[in-house]
Amino acid sequence: MQRDLRPQPVKTASTPEIGYFSAWVFAFCLIVGMALGIGFTRVYGPWQRGNAEPWQLRPEDRNHYMIAIALEYAHSGDTAKALDKLIALRPDGDPLSQLAEGACALGSRGYLGSESGIRALRSAVALYAPQGRAGCAEELLPPLATEVATEVNLAQTPEAQQSTPLPTKRPLQDALLATPTPRYRPALPAPRNFEVLSVRSFCELTRPALIEVFVVDYLGRGIPGQRIRVRWGDREDIFVSGLKAERGDAYADFQMEENINYAIDMVGADDALGTRLSTDACYTENRRSLKSYRVTFVER
Amino acid sequence: MRVIRSMILGLLLGAIVGLYFGWGQFPAESRNSGLSDLARPFRDDYIVMVAAGYAVDGDVDGVSQRLSRLGIDDAPSAIRESAERIIHSSARGLADIGLLVHLADGLGQLTQPMQPFLDVNRERA
């Protein structure tokens, strides 16, 4: 019997199995793959569309959902139920204030163009206003017909009560000679009184020679639509708060020129600002600019 | 070759695990959904709220506008289907069904299964 004298194959660690697979590379790529997978889900969003909850709504749709809650409240009068649903939206702050803001946002974007929109916003106001919250929606809403009717009754003069209804069409001569029919004039809103809270100068390269005016109520909330008068020499100009939406409701500004004294006041302010405002050179970040002012009017 | 093989296998497996956790176990809390993305119970809730608004003002145009935000173009058919489904599944209370039936009636979509609930509404009124 012959012995096999050929050398035996050397068994080393480099087996075919190890050559087939690298554990380190696999582990590294597994981690990278997991990170990519999770990252993709975060960028893409939830997989199941059509399975969202109300708190996941985008702001615009959230506003419409809150209006629907207000509509239901208008039917049921159940404040607790409405509040539960508003809280389910997981608002950042007070749910009723969020409703007021949502109603304001919708009212500012043409939602009041239809009767149904007006009714819906009234429902929202009816929900949050009795709870002590306020927004701009109640200011944007047209007066109720009952309110107008009441005001008309209050404003009616004896002459107006005696006047007879006019025919729908009259001869031209009669129409020209007829005495004017007493007409209802809506009552003007009560004048608002303001006073100067502060006047501060500042120096900024991006906003030189500017009078920045902030008009706020006693809670510090901006009041849009307030007229501020600026006078210099024998001239004057009017600028209005809230026209620069990006700066908020309170904001209004006026561009000054050098070597001119300006005085500003508001309708409803006690007196004009005592100090005359004028701009001259100031320095910030080692560069020359022109001095600006920040004036705050507060409602008394 | 073994490096590439390991790399592909690792990335593939890792991506599957990542997607599983990212979508399945810990889904992203997106706040960018539309009303049309609402899950059915919340969708029904919205429809009932719109129906409640209709019960107050009888405004068909308003109903159509509000339902269009759910991606519903044909509001009458959608209300009929929702009302019938909810009646058959008893998914909501009698008051909610009453509101839906009242709305379906207003939209001219009253069907036989809704009739008893309309009578209930009338009795309540």
Side-chain angles (χ1 to χ4, degrees), chain B residues 14-26:
Chain B
I16 290 169
V17 172
L19 292 176
Y20 169 74
F21 279 102
W23 274 332
Q25 297 300 309
F26 309 104

Side-chain angles (χ1 to χ4, degrees), chain B residues 48-63:
Chain B
V48 168
M49 291 191 285
V50 170
Y54 173 79
V56 173
D57 57 24
D59 180 4
V60 175
D61 290 338
V63 168

